[in-house]
């Protein structure tokens, strides 16, 4: 017997006095102990995030048109500088002056969205379908404004290239309306020199950006050619393996066909031998059947002869 049987039975019995629930104890508060601190106040509603603070109504048509006009005026500055945070602030300030409250980040995001939509409609407008072109222009009414901005950018680039190819000829510059004295000439020369310095700086920055673009294009072309070469080698390897698999499949099919033909020839030879053996058996059976019939006929004839001789003897005895 288990020595702990009474313990197990007592702890498994919920009505055992050791397991009976004791009455609740009421503790009196200690007068010497300080009262507990009050619970902390509930946190107030969180402050609105930056996105909620900057959430403004959608761009209206007039606001977008004014923004595109400002962006067109600042496009040359955007192309000639790398850090354009100040330019977006200037665009936001000009919009504020026109009565439109927009932050620089909102202006930048709006420009990106407009360029994205312009690229999408430009791909549709380039198609020869006039209905699709009209539908695309109707869905994006600012296509012409963006087209003028990009065309002006291309024209400035071409003009800068022509100016650089031509060189700077002082005889081609304007006098400013006739004789103005030596001081006026000096002032004009200083202004021309400042303009030339600005043009040289802009052309240098454009050339640097153009060289960077060319390097990026060359690197992209190199990566593209490398990817094309890898893809072509993968395709060639795939075709080679496909041809090898087809050759193996043809060889296996030919081997299976030859084996099938050999088995068919064996089956036919076995059937021919079996037929000849059956014919031989039938022939022997017929020969035995003919011999048995001949012996039976001989026995029948011999029996008739014996019966006739017996009858003849019986007839001779009756006569005597």
């Amino acid at each position: 017997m288990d020595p702990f049987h009474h313990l197990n039975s007592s702890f498994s019995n919920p009505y055992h006095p050791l397991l009976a629930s004791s009455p609740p104890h009421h503790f009196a508060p200690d007068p010497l102990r300080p009262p507990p601190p009050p619970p902390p106040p509930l946190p107030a509603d969180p402050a609105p995030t930056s996105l909620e603070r900057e959430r403004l109504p959608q761009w209206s048509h007039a606001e977008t048109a004014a923004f595109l006009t400002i962006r067109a005026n600042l496009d040359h500055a955007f192309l000639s500088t790398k850090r354009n945070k100040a330019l977006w602030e200037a665009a936001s300030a000009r919009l504020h002056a026109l009565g439109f409250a927009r932050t620089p980040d909102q202006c930048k995001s709006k420009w990106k969205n407009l360029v994205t939509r312009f690229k999408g409609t430009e791909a549709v407008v380039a198609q020869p379908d006039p209905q699709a072109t009209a539908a695309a222009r109707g869905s994006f009414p600012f296509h012409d404004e963006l087209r003028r901005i990009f065309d002006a950018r291309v024209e400035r680039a071409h003009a800068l290239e022509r100016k650089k190819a031509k060189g700077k000829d002082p005889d081609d510059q304007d006098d400013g309306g006739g004789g103005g004295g030596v001081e006026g000439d000096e002032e004009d020369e200083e202004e021309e020199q400042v303009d030339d310095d600005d043009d040289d700086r802009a052309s240098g920055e454009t050339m640097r950006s153009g060289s960077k673009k060319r390097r990026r294009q060359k690197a992209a072309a190199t990566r593209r050619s490398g990817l094309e070469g890898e893809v072509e080698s993968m395709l060639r390897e795939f075709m080679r393996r496909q041809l090898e698999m087809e050759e193996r499949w043809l060889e296996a099919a030919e081997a299976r066909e030859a084996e099938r033909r050999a088995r068919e020839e064996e089956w036919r030879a076995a059937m021919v031998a079996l037929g000849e053996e059956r014919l031989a058996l039938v022939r022997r059976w017929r020969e035995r059947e003919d011999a048995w019939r001949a012996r039976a006929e001989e026995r029948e004839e011999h029996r008739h002869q014996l019966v006739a001789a017996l009858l003849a003897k019986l007839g001779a005895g009756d006569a005597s």
Side-chain angles (χ1 to χ4, degrees), residues 111-241:
W111 173 252
K112 289 183 179 179
N113 293 336
L114 289 173
V115 171
T116 302
R117 292 188 62 186
F118 171 75
K119 290 180 180 179
T121 54
E122 187 71 10
V124 178
V125 169
Q127 297 178 1
D129 190 1
Q131 295 181 357
T133 302
R137 289 181 182 273
S139 63
F140 184 56
F142 300 103
H143 180 271
D144 296 336
E145 287 80 352
L146 285 168
R147 168 51 58 195
R148 283 194 292 270
I149 292 173
F150 289 116
D151 290 344
R153 185 181 296 180
V154 174
E155 287 295 330
R156 283 196 301 271
H158 289 334
L160 188 60
E161 289 179 359
R162 288 195 300 269
K163 188 173 182 180
K164 183 182 176 184
K166 240 187 231 185
K168 298 177 180 61
D169 191 0
D171 296 337
D172 295 339
Q173 301 293 334
D174 240 348
D175 300 358
V182 179
E183 295 179 357
D185 294 339
E186 290 178 354
E187 290 177 357
D188 293 339
E189 289 178 359
E190 290 177 358
E191 291 178 357
E192 290 174 0
Q193 186 175 1
V194 171
D195 294 339
D196 291 341
D197 293 339
D198 294 339
D199 293 339
D200 292 340
R201 191 180 302 108
S203 63
E205 292 177 356
T206 306
M207 288 297 295
R208 285 195 297 273
S209 62
S211 62
K212 289 181 181 178
K213 287 182 180 178
R214 284 194 293 272
R215 285 197 296 270
R216 286 197 296 268
Q217 290 176 357
K218 287 182 180 179
T222 304
R223 289 194 297 271
R224 194 180 302 111
S225 61
L227 289 174
E228 290 177 356
E230 291 180 1
V231 171
E232 186 177 357
S233 62
M234 290 173 63
L235 288 176
R236 288 181 179 176
E237 183 68 17
F238 175 75
M239 293 300 295
R240 185 182 64 80
R241 292 184 179 180

Side-chain angles (χ1 to χ4, degrees), residues 3-20:
F4 301 101
H5 175 70
H6 63 284
L7 294 177
N8 295 332
S9 60
S10 63
F11 282 106
S12 62
N13 186 5
Y15 300 100
H16 196 273
L18 294 177
L19 298 178

Side-chain angles (χ1 to χ4, degrees), residues 65-82:
F67 170 70
L68 286 177
T69 303
I70 295 170
R71 183 60 178 77
N73 295 330
L74 296 175
D75 188 65
H76 181 67
F78 272 97
L79 292 179
S80 59
T81 57
K82 293 182 179 178

Side-chain angles (χ1 to χ4, degrees), residues 11-133:
F11 282 106
S12 62
N13 186 5
Y15 300 100
H16 196 273
L18 294 177
L19 298 178
S21 60
S22 60
H25 299 280
H26 299 282
F27 296 96
D30 190 359
L32 300 178
R33 181 176 299 175
L42 294 176
D45 294 336
T49 59
S50 59
L51 291 177
E52 293 177 351
R53 289 196 303 269
E54 296 177 0
R55 185 176 296 169
L56 294 175
Q58 293 184 353
W59 290 68
S60 62
H61 190 279
E63 188 177 3
T64 307
F67 170 70
L68 286 177
T69 303
I70 295 170
R71 183 60 178 77
N73 295 330
L74 296 175
D75 188 65
H76 181 67
F78 272 97
L79 292 179
S80 59
T81 57
K82 293 182 179 178
R83 297 181 179 178
N84 49 17
K85 182 178 180 181
L87 296 176
W88 288 119
E89 292 176 355
S92 175
R94 293 188 184 183
L95 282 176
H96 275 279
L98 296 176
F100 303 113
R102 294 293 176 179
T103 62
D105 293 336
Q106 289 175 345
C107 295
K108 184 177 180 181
S109 178
K110 183 64 176 178
W111 173 252
K112 289 183 179 179
N113 293 336
L114 289 173
V115 171
T116 302
R117 292 188 62 186
F118 171 75
K119 290 180 180 179
T121 54
E122 187 71 10
V124 178
V125 169
Q127 297 178 1
D129 190 1
Q131 295 181 357
T133 302

